[in-house]
Every structure is written in structure tokens, then in C-alpha cells.
């Protein structure tokens, strides 16, 4: 990439369009989508040296309450995988924040392995959380 303006965001758009989604029992307009992680690698040459930058865009799925959503079949399998990867992410964050703990379980999930540099490397990370204000989702939000 020669600059941010030269990025081809069509690739990110294509990845988003190819994400599978499922409907829950309440409304088919409410979709259950898996995680999406887009990686952007940049390279900068200065004085003959090379500097590489890595930018992760992660859109994480919310946890799924199976009884609440009524997920079945492949949607149920996807919900289980989402919950397992979010649990693994929580374990990694807990291990990183605990003092004196030697092992951080990055390899417990593909998600945590891909986001390893963002979670435990020499990086700057920003987290944006969106929560539902609806009473129906109060238990998961608080």
C-alpha cells in the first residue's frame, strides 16, 4: 500500500458480504454473524530500511444465548463457536492482566491467535463496544 488513500476497500467489502448470517427465533431481520477480522499490512522504506505496520480491523460477534435465540442446526454450531472464541478472548485478557502469570493461552482460539499482536504485542489498541439498550438484551449488556 502506497498510502491509506490507495487502499482497496473493495476487498474489505467483499469479505463482509461473504460472511454467513442466520436468523434467530424472534425476527429474521436480526442476524447472527460470525467474527470478521481484516488485516492491512503496510510497508515503509526509509534510508534503505523497511518498516512494516499491521492494522487489524476486528468485528466481533456478540455472545449467543442459545435458549433466547432458538438457534438450531448450523446456526447453533456457529453460536457455539462464537461463544467459545469469546470465552478464549476473555481468558487471554485475564491472563495478560494478571500479574505473574507466565502462560497466555493465545492458541486456544483462532481469533486470539490472529489478534495476538493486538492483544499482547507492542501495539496500540482501541476497543469500540456497542451494546443494545433494549430491555430484552439487558442481561447480556450489564
Amino acid at each position: 500500500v502506497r498510502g491509506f488513500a490507495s487502499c482497496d476497500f473493495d476487498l474489505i467489502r467483499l469479505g463482509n458480504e461473504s460472511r454467513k448470517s442466520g436468523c434467530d427465533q424472534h425476527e429474521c431481520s436480526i442476524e447472527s454473524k460470525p467474527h470478521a477480522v481484516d488485516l492491512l499490512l503496510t510497508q515503509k522504506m526509509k534510508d534503505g530500511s523497511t518498516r512494516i505496520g499491521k492494522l487489524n480491523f476486528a468485528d466481533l460477534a456478540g455472545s449467543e444465548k442459545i435458549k433466547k435465540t432458538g438457534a438450531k442446526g448450523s446456526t447453533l454450531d456457529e453460536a457455539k463457536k462464537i461463544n467459545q472464541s469469546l470465552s478464549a478472548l476473555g481468558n487471554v485478557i485475564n491472563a495478560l492482566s494478571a500479574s505473574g502469570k507466565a502462560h497466555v493461552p493465545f492458541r486456544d482460539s483462532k481469533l486470539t491467535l490472529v489478534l495476538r499482536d493486538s492483544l499482547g504485542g507492542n501495539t496500540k489498541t482501541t476497543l469500540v463496544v456497542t451494546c443494545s439498550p433494549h430491555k430484552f438484551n439487558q442481561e447480556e449488556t450489564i
Side-chain angles (χ1 to χ4, degrees):
V1 176
R2 297 198 188 282
F4 196 70
S6 71
C7 282
D8 188 359
F9 288 103
D10 290 335
L11 291 175
I12 294 173
R13 203 170 300 115
L14 177 66
N16 247 354
E17 289 170 1
S18 65
R19 289 170 75 183
K20 293 179 184 177
S21 64
C23 301
D24 70 11
Q25 71 181 6
H26 301 286
E27 290 185 46
C28 202
S29 63
I30 299 173
E31 295 181 350
S32 174
K33 288 192 175 186
H35 306 308
V37 179
D38 297 312
L39 304 171
L40 177 64
L41 296 174
T42 62
Q43 184 173 326
K44 182 179 180 182
M45 296 182 158
K46 188 175 182 178
D47 301 333
S49 63
T50 302
R51 295 187 79 180
I52 296 175
K54 181 178 172 184
L55 184 60
N56 291 329
F57 295 98
D59 180 6
L60 302 182
S63 64
E64 300 275 336
K65 295 273 187 188
I66 306 303
K67 287 182 182 178
K68 187 175 176 181
T69 61
K72 295 177 182 153
S74 62
T75 305
L76 175 61
D77 293 338
E78 186 67 36
K80 288 178 184 176
K81 290 177 186 174
I82 288 169
N83 290 343
Q84 286 173 345
S85 64
L86 289 173
S87 178
L89 179 61
N91 292 340
V92 166
I93 291 170
N94 285 335
L96 288 169
S97 62
S99 60
K101 188 161 184 176
H103 175 69
V104 179
F106 286 113
R107 293 185 178 182
D108 286 358
S109 166
K110 289 180 185 177
L111 175 67
T112 54
L113 194 57
V114 168
L115 295 177
R116 182 179 188 155
D117 291 339
S118 295
L119 296 169
N122 184 17
T123 62
K124 294 180 181 177
T125 301
T126 301
L127 176 67
V128 177
V129 178
T130 57
C131 299
S132 172
H134 198 274
K135 210 172 202 176
F136 179 74
N137 297 315
Q138 186 174 3
E139 281 186 41
E140 291 99 27
T141 303
I142 296 177

